[in-house]
Amino acid sequence: MDLLRVISVVAVVLGHAWPFMPGEEYLQIWRMPLFFFLAGFFFSTTRDLAAEFHVRWRTLGIPYLTWLVLLCGLVIIHHYTPRPFEDTWWTVIGALYGGGLTDMPFLAFWFISVLFTAALLLRLVVRLPWWAQVLCAVGGLALAKVPESGMSFTPLAIGLAPACMAYMLAGYWTRRLIAHPRLTAAAQSVWAGVLGVALVVLGIGSVAAGVRTMNMKWSGFGDFLLSPAVAVTICIGLTLIFSTWAQWGLSRLPRAGVAVSELVRTGTLVVFFHPYVLFVIWDVIDVPLLRVAVALAVCWPLGLLVNRTVLSPYLTGLPREPKPPRSAPRTAAAPG
């Protein structure tokens, strides 16, 4: 599943590096839903609300504030260079307010603040009966239909949290179902991967047949309930593929598996920093996929480096990685 988490971050970068790309609807239908779906899939079942707040503050809140300060500083510095942002002071004000007012280089801030709020909301919702959980998810998606993208323009876009929580809830229940004793063997079989491919094809085919795609930042959740259902179908399919076929492949390549796990730990830094990298290279590199490659080539090594420093808790939300133990020096054998 680590590889799918890396791909979800790459999809975020791709969407920003190639706006209005051909076939964009086939990416948008699952790009952001997958991010929330996986957050729900890996959602802890042991925390209470206070513990959830503490964890989310450490992993999301502190990096959010750190990057807000750093990027606001960069935006102001650019104001006094030949390459300023489009409207320096409005960009800073929009970043402080969050949500639909965020612009380059704060493109990804909205879903970090929404994820923070949605996680706390999910912690409350999972205590309810299953039918009440469904009602909360449907109600959240209904709230997102407020005209004029109203929920996007709430402070920090917290009005989108109930709708995004619906995807987290789907991921949460997917994990519980495939972990059920009666389903575990089937979920780990080769046929689970086959089912995953079928679900992805079904979801993509639904978009081709006319189901509207989504732009969640602007409260665009497509056709009510139908588009979210298609998105969840694709997310479940990807989960089945990557928890079986991809996982088996990585298990045969231990070094690749370790590398992927390391890249997962850079995800928060990539999400926050890649828009600035794209801004810097935008006029220099015209090929969108090359922009993606350069942004990742900058952010991934930087993230790996930061994770080994005292800055890690502030920039990635993770504790500093311990230094590898030094091998004990060899001692000469005692003379016989």
Side-chain angles (χ1 to χ4, degrees):
M1 288 295 288
D2 278 353
L3 183 57
L4 184 56
R5 296 166 80 177
V6 172
I7 288 175
S8 72
V9 173
V10 173
V12 171
V13 179
L14 175 61
H16 291 151
W18 197 351
F20 312 112
M21 62 186 290
E24 179 187 37
E25 64 272 21
Y26 299 106
L27 175 67
Q28 293 288 64
I29 191 68
W30 61 267
R31 182 173 74 105
M32 294 315 305
L34 180 63
F35 199 93
F36 290 100
F37 181 92
L38 290 177
F41 189 86
F42 293 105
F43 197 71
S44 169
T45 59
T46 59
R47 300 180 196 137
D48 59 15
L49 184 61
E52 189 68 40
F53 179 87
H54 176 76
V55 170
R56 299 297 173 176
W57 177 253
R58 175 173 53 83
T59 59
L60 298 174
I62 292 176
Y64 185 100
L65 293 177
T66 303
W67 283 106
L68 180 64
V69 171
L70 290 176
L71 291 176
C72 281
L74 285 172
V75 169
I76 293 171
I77 290 172
H78 273 270
H79 182 70
Y80 301 100
T81 72
R83 182 80 191 288
F85 286 84
E86 186 172 348
D87 189 328
T88 297
W89 307 115
W90 178 248
T91 297
V92 171
I93 292 170
L96 295 175
Y97 184 85
L101 296 186
T102 54
D103 202 349
M104 184 74 83
F106 304 96
L107 297 180
F109 273 60
W110 74 270
F111 67 77
I112 297 297
S113 59
V114 170
L115 178 59
F116 185 102
T117 309
L120 298 180
L121 184 59
L122 182 62
R123 181 59 61 194
L124 297 175
V125 169
V126 294
R127 299 177 180 178
L128 303 175
W130 69 267
W131 55 266
Q133 296 179 31
V134 172
L135 289 177
C136 288
V138 172
L141 291 168
L143 185 64
K145 304 299 285 187
V146 170
E148 305 297 331
S149 301
M151 293 300 101
S152 297
F153 291 100
T154 53
L156 303 178
I158 58 174
L160 294 177
C164 293
M165 185 275 298
Y167 295 107
M168 294 182 68
L169 185 64
Y172 173 82
W173 275 104
T174 298
R175 176 68 176 270
R176 294 194 67 180
L177 288 173
I178 66 176
H180 192 281
R182 293 183 179 179
L183 297 177
T184 300
Q188 295 175 350
S189 71
V190 66
W191 295 108
V194 174
L195 176 59
V197 171
L199 291 175
V200 172
V201 170
L202 175 62
I204 297 299
S206 298
V207 177
V211 173
R212 286 195 300 160
T213 193
M214 292 183 283
N215 190 338
M216 291 166 56
K217 179 179 181 179
W218 306 111
S219 201
F221 286 80
D223 297 314
F224 182 57
L225 297 185
L226 181 57
S227 294
V230 169
V232 168
T233 298
I234 295 174
C235 290
I236 293 174
L238 291 172
T239 298
L240 292 175
I241 293 169
F242 281 86
S243 64
T244 53
W245 297 354
Q247 190 63 36
W248 297 335
L250 285 178
S251 67
R252 288 162 175 75
L253 300 168
R255 291 185 178 180
V258 171
V260 169
S261 296
E262 287 292 312
L263 291 181
V264 168
R265 292 176 55 85
T266 68
T268 299
L269 183 143
V270 175
V271 165
F272 279 119
F273 192 52
H274 80 269
Y276 178 75
V277 177
L278 290 176
F279 171 79
V280 171
I281 67 174
W282 198 269
D283 293 337
V284 179
I285 300 176
D286 293 328
V287 181
L289 291 179
L290 186 55
R291 289 175 184 158
V292 175
V294 171
L296 293 174
V298 171
C299 293
W300 273 342
L302 180 62
L304 294 173
L305 175 63
V306 166
N307 282 338
R308 288 163 173 76
T309 71
V310 295
L311 297 176
S312 183
Y314 304 98
L315 297 177
T316 70
L318 298 173
R320 178 182 183 180
E321 288 185 2
K323 294 181 180 179
R326 296 180 180 178
S327 55
R330 296 181 179 179
T331 56

